[in-house]
């Protein structure tokens, strides 16, 4: 498979027509991730209430693969329970690194990224949004555990 084969019409459509959610004015947490391989970056903002992601914003500078992942996340994350998001993140890591099956349901457009599995150098940019959201979730949980202990 040629690298250009990764950039299917569906990938280019998802990346090119993505809604860009604005950064949040008062997020519970923000996190920034950068791919050392390609220089793609994303910064995400989250608001979480009662275990559900209530609001999301991001600023991204990434290749079409990173933009596609971020587009699907931006479209689907609000209203998603934290546990469900973590399951999808795990499925994405498994899909790329362990021949796992793509996420299903409202996350099924992520299946178009399955060919990235054969291009290890592209894994990080494809997973960037998932790892940034996870880092923000960990900040929120850490703050909550500190608040609970005081």
């Amino acid at each position: 498979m040629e690298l250009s084969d990764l950039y299917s019409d569906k990938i280019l459509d998802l990346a090119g027509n993505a809604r860009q959610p604005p950064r949040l004015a008062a997020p519970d947490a923000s996190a920034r991730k950068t791919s050392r391989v390609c220089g793609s970056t994303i910064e995400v903002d989250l608001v979480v209430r009662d275990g559900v992601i209530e609001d999301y914003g991001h600023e991204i500078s990434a290749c079409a693969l990173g933009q596609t992942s971020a587009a699907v996340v931006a479209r689907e994350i609000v209203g998603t329970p934290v546990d469900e998001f973590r399951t999808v993140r795990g499925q994405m890591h498994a899909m790329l690194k362990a021949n796992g099956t793509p996420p299903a349901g409202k996350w099924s457009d992520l299946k178009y990224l399955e060919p990235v599995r054969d291009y290890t150098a592209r894994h990080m940019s494809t997973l960037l949004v998932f790892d940034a959201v996870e880092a923000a979730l960990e900040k929120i949980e850490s703050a909550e555990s500190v608040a609970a202990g005081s």
Side-chain angles (χ1 to χ4, degrees), residues 59-141:
E59 187 173 317
I60 185 168
S61 173
C63 65
L65 302 173
Q67 288 179 38
T68 299
S69 301
V72 175
V73 168
R75 187 183 74 204
E76 303 298 349
I77 194 169
V78 173
T80 297
V82 168
D83 290 345
E84 178 185 321
F85 179 82
R86 285 185 161 143
T87 297
V88 170
R89 177 179 181 257
Q91 290 170 326
M92 284 299 293
H93 276 266
M95 179 181 87
L96 295 182
K97 298 175 182 300
N99 289 331
T101 56
K106 70 180 184 178
W107 302 98
S108 65
D109 277 351
L110 293 168
K111 70 184 175 215
Y112 296 108
L113 293 162
E114 197 169 7
V116 176
R117 158 188 305 148
D118 297 331
Y119 297 91
T120 309
R122 299 286 189 256
H123 289 185
M124 193 164 189
S125 61
T126 304
L127 296 170
L128 216 53
V129 66
F130 295 97
D131 295 343
V133 170
E134 177 60 27
L137 289 170
E138 288 172 3
K139 286 181 181 181
I140 292 168
E141 290 165 354

Side-chain angles (χ1 to χ4, degrees), residues 3-4 6 11 20 26 28 31 43 46 56 70 75 79 101 108 113 129 134 150:
L3 184 60
S4 60
L6 277 179
I11 294 273
Q20 295 299 327
D28 292 342
E43 192 155 359
L46 289 182
Y56 171 84
R75 187 183 74 204
T101 56
S108 65
L113 293 162
V129 66
E134 177 60 27
S150 55

Side-chain angles (χ1 to χ4, degrees), residues 43-64:
E43 192 155 359
V44 301
D45 300 318
L46 289 182
V47 173
V48 176
R49 294 290 176 271
D50 300 320
V52 176
I53 298 165
E54 262 195 13
D55 207 357
Y56 171 84
H58 74 220
E59 187 173 317
I60 185 168
S61 173
C63 65

